[in-house]
Amino acid sequence: MSREARRREFLRATGGALAAGTAIATSGCLGVITGSEPAEFSASVASVPDATLESTGFEEHRIEPMELTREFTVAGQTREVVVTNQVAQYDKAAEVLGERIRASLFTAFSTPAVDIAGRTLNPIAELSTRELARRMLTQYDGIDDLQSDGEETVAVLGTDTTVGLFTADATIAEGVTTEIRLHVSEAVRSGEDFVVTVGAYPTRLSGQAEDVRAMMRGVTHGGE
């Protein structure tokens, strides 16, 4: 697999794995399945403003919706639920082991809370940073050996948020394997959505940790 293909696959896996955490639990919530039309829930985009991108060196890779459709049956009633998440992906180039590659990655993921009858049905808020990181890494064959490396607090959308720090081994180019560091924030409630942020970069690169923190602090959501 080429360097560019690996980069695309990693970025796609980040959003896809986080989306996997948004399967909705409906036990006891008959309101979700009443009606003939699909119940639809859509998140607003969480993104990073240009000023932050300029100061950190990141570039926008893509911002796109990610739709999930599920059918649920409760008490003999079946209803289709359509959830549209939003994935904003950024990256930047660096020289690693003598090669110029798109090494540092950042994702802002937003998913609707799905509030029904006073209950929030999206379980992503209950996932630990380790579980979020694990879900991401299981989607990509080139990354393994996830290890916890502590945690810190970063303000995401104005909320002091626990960010899990992890290391893993990653194949970032043909025949090139290096240790990477991951910063994974807990889900932050913002309006009708939850927002999760993830940063990753080779540990041998200096200055990347503070750039990832700046990206997390810079995230905006919807009209905020």
Side-chain angles (χ1 to χ4, degrees):
M1 184 182 291
S2 68
R3 295 197 304 269
E4 180 64 16
R6 285 188 181 278
R7 178 176 69 93
R8 289 196 302 267
E9 189 66 21
F10 182 89
L11 288 165
R12 189 179 303 111
T14 301
L18 293 177
T22 65
I24 302 168
T26 60
S27 177
C29 294
L30 296 179
V32 172
I33 59 170
T34 57
S36 58
E37 297 297 322
E40 298 185 0
F41 303 90
S42 297
S44 299
V45 173
S47 60
V48 181
D50 290 343
T52 302
L53 298 181
E54 184 176 351
S55 66
T56 60
F58 277 89
E59 297 178 355
E60 182 182 311
H61 176 66
R62 66 162 65 93
I63 297 177
E64 62 183 6
M66 182 175 293
E67 185 176 288
L68 300 175
T69 302
R70 297 286 187 273
E71 281 192 352
F72 298 96
T73 301
V74 178
Q77 300 287 327
T78 300
R79 183 79 183 275
E80 186 175 80
V81 176
V82 180
V83 174
T84 301
N85 305 307
Q86 299 289 341
V87 183
Q89 300 170 328
Y90 306 85
D91 59 13
K92 68 174 173 177
E95 186 171 298
V96 179
L97 300 177
E99 288 197 66
R100 189 73 174 171
I101 63 172
R102 307 297 284 183
S104 298
L105 310 171
F106 185 85
T107 297
F109 174 81
S110 55
T111 178
V114 190
D115 291 324
I116 301 292
R119 291 183 57 189
T120 298
L121 303 182
N122 190 330
I124 199 168
E126 305 303 319
L127 297 180
S128 67
T129 57
R130 182 174 182 83
E131 178 63 16
L132 290 168
R134 187 191 65 78
R135 286 170 182 257
M136 182 179 73
L137 297 190
T138 56
Q139 301 294 311
Y140 186 65
D141 292 337
I143 303 181
D144 53 28
D145 194 26
L146 179 70
Q147 300 290 329
S148 295
D149 195 30
E151 61 182 33
E152 60 186 14
T153 301
V154 178
V156 179
L157 294 170
T159 300
D160 285 344
T161 305
T162 297
V163 175
L165 306 176
F166 306 89
T167 60
D169 295 327
T171 301
I172 58 175
E174 193 68 32
V176 178
T177 299
T178 189
E179 183 183 72
I180 65 169
R181 174 162 283 112
L182 295 157
H183 298 232
V184 184
S185 74
E186 292 182 340
V188 176
R189 182 67 185 258
S190 177
E192 300 300 314
D193 302 333
F194 289 112
V195 175
V196 174
T197 60
V198 179
Y201 54 88
T203 55
R204 66 179 61 241
L205 296 181
S206 62
Q208 300 307 299
E210 187 51 46
D211 285 346
V212 166
R213 295 183 192 108
M215 292 284 285
M216 287 183 170
R217 290 191 296 266
V219 166
T220 62
H221 173 247
E224 297 181 8

